[in-house]
Amino acid sequence: MLRSRLTLNKKLLVIAAIALAIFLGLQFSSPKIENKPPEGEIDVPLEVKNILQRSCYDCHSNQSNPKWYDRIAPASHLVAHDVNEARSRFNFSEWSKLPSPLQQVLLWEMVNAIEQKKMPLNRYRMVHPEAAGSPSELAVLKRYVNTLPGRTKVDTAKIIKTLGSSAANTPGGNRHPISLTGIPYSDDYKTWKVLSVTDKFDGGSMRVVYANDIMMKAIQSKEIPFPDGARMVKAVWGKQIEDKEGNIFPGNFQNVQFMVKDSKKYASTEGWGFAKFDGLELNPFGKSASFAKTCIACHKLLVPENDFVFNIPTK
């Protein structure tokens, strides 16, 4: 009996020694997080910046300050991965490099992500509880983003009254313009199934999202990433102000947006092709095909786990 106990203790010591050696070895391979000098840091009111610095800067800036326990492997590998991934989506220390429209979109999506508790990440909040924003801080962020250009709500009732309801809500004629990304406009989406209906508070718009059969079958079978040939279309209308009963109705037609999956053709934008056609004349959006980079940057911010697609029903 004594001999078997000694044998067991030796085995445990050997296992412990091996585990310790592996642990120490991991420390030598622990990645370092480099902080480059800021280049065009975000310029916002101080009360807004204080919130962003506490909740976001550790990952989304060149001012990362990992705690001592963040530097211990294997946790250090996860921390370095999260920081690199966050910086690739947007970097507050290089904010001025982003086009102004993208800056506004990202700020609104940040507010949405914080409100939905998608950001900061759960695993980050667990060890950094101070990063979780309070309701009053969320209110500060909302007040700020509501002051951004282009975020004002438009009462489209006057537009409808002037143009006539049918003209104000119907995109023009039989035109088939082609986006700079090579995606043509087509009315086919009107025969597809409705995937979801959304209300974008910040832009004052209402949206109907359609999906073709390939997309719908992939969603139903939870096939992610989505297969080539999957297509989505989002039709966007302005909103009239609420009536006395609190009802909100669609106003003027604003644009229609296409997402087309072709993993080879659109490899530079995560396999998705983007197109947007504005107004009743369905004018192709963008000055060059590079506008698609702005589109995928927004989608990469919140929905990489859904193959970069918003508005997928969860049930």
Side-chain angles (χ1 to χ4, degrees):
M1 180 67 72
L2 179 59
R3 180 176 295 177
S4 63
R5 285 184 178 177
L6 290 174
T7 301
L8 177 61
N9 288 338
K10 286 182 179 179
K11 289 182 178 179
L12 292 174
L13 285 173
V14 170
I15 292 172
I18 293 173
L20 180 60
I22 293 174
F23 176 78
L24 293 175
L26 284 173
Q27 306 317 307
F28 288 103
S29 65
S30 186
K32 294 182 179 180
I33 298 174
E34 297 184 2
N35 287 324
K36 300 178 182 178
E39 297 180 26
E41 191 170 357
I42 188 170
D43 183 16
V44 292
L46 182 60
E47 61 176 354
V48 173
K49 191 166 187 177
N50 287 339
I51 297 170
L52 297 178
Q53 285 179 327
R54 190 179 66 256
S55 297
C56 312
Y57 265 48
D58 258 359
C59 294
H60 289 281
S61 81
N62 293 340
Q63 300 178 36
S64 298
N65 184 28
K67 306 296 184 185
W68 65 267
Y69 45 79
D70 293 325
R71 302 173 190 270
I72 300 175
S76 59
H77 291 266
L78 180 60
V79 171
H81 170 271
D82 286 349
V83 170
N84 290 332
E85 179 71 14
R87 288 175 175 175
S88 72
R89 297 185 186 182
F90 67 87
N91 188 331
F92 284 120
S93 298
E94 301 175 1
W95 191 253
S96 64
K97 295 181 179 180
L98 301 175
S100 179
L102 179 56
Q103 291 178 4
Q104 294 183 33
V105 169
L106 287 174
L107 283 168
W108 257 109
E109 295 301 345
M110 288 175 210
V111 173
N112 292 336
I114 293 171
E115 186 171 36
Q116 297 168 22
K117 299 189 183 302
K118 292 182 178 180
M119 288 288 168
L121 295 174
N122 287 333
R123 59 176 175 266
Y124 183 83
R125 290 201 304 268
M126 287 176 63
V127 292
H128 301 274
E130 72 281 358
S134 66
S136 61
E137 289 174 332
L138 181 60
V140 169
L141 295 178
K142 282 187 174 182
R143 283 197 300 271
Y144 172 68
V145 293
N146 268 311
T147 67
L148 297 175
R151 299 293 98 183
T152 56
K153 315 301 181 295
V154 179
D155 178 8
T156 59
K158 295 180 180 179
I159 300 174
I160 293 175
K161 186 175 181 180
T162 301
L163 298 179
S165 59
S166 59
N169 284 276
T170 305
N174 295 316
R175 294 183 60 224
H176 291 84
I178 299 176
S179 170
L180 294 172
T181 55
I183 298 173
Y185 173 83
S186 171
D187 286 332
D188 290 351
Y189 73 88
K190 296 178 182 179
T191 65
W192 299 351
K193 291 182 179 179
V194 173
L195 177 61
S196 63
V197 178
T198 64
D199 182 338
K200 193 168 179 63
F201 170 76
D202 55 293
S205 60
M206 305 173 71
R207 289 107 178 281
V208 179
V209 183
Y210 303 84
N212 69 354
D213 287 342
I214 296 176
M215 186 74 181
M216 290 299 297
K217 289 177 181 177
I219 290 172
Q220 291 166 357
S221 61
K222 298 182 180 179
E223 183 183 352
I224 293 179
F226 295 106
D228 285 359
R231 300 170 72 94
M232 298 175 63
V233 171
K234 180 184 292 183
V236 184
W237 289 267
K239 294 192 300 185
Q240 295 186 40
I241 59 174
E242 295 183 18
D243 62 17
K244 294 180 180 179
E245 285 73 38
N247 299 309
I248 300 178
F249 300 94
N252 62 308
F253 175 82
Q254 293 186 352
N255 60 69
V256 61
Q257 305 169 25
F258 287 66
M259 280 184 71
V260 177
K261 188 64 179 286
D262 187 325
S263 55
K264 293 182 179 180
K265 184 175 182 179
Y266 302 112
S268 65
T269 49
E270 305 292 348
W272 287 101
F274 294 88
K276 179 182 176 185
F277 302 93
D278 284 331
L280 299 178
E281 295 302 315
L282 298 173
N283 295 314
F285 175 83
K287 295 181 179 179
S288 70
S290 63
F291 79 85
K293 296 285 187 180
T294 300
C295 299
I296 194 60
C298 180
H299 285 251
K300 286 173 68 175
L301 174 63
L302 289 180
V303 286
E305 70 280 2
N306 289 341
D307 195 18
F308 312 102
V309 175
F310 289 101
N311 310 126
I312 295 178
T314 57
K315 295 183 180 180

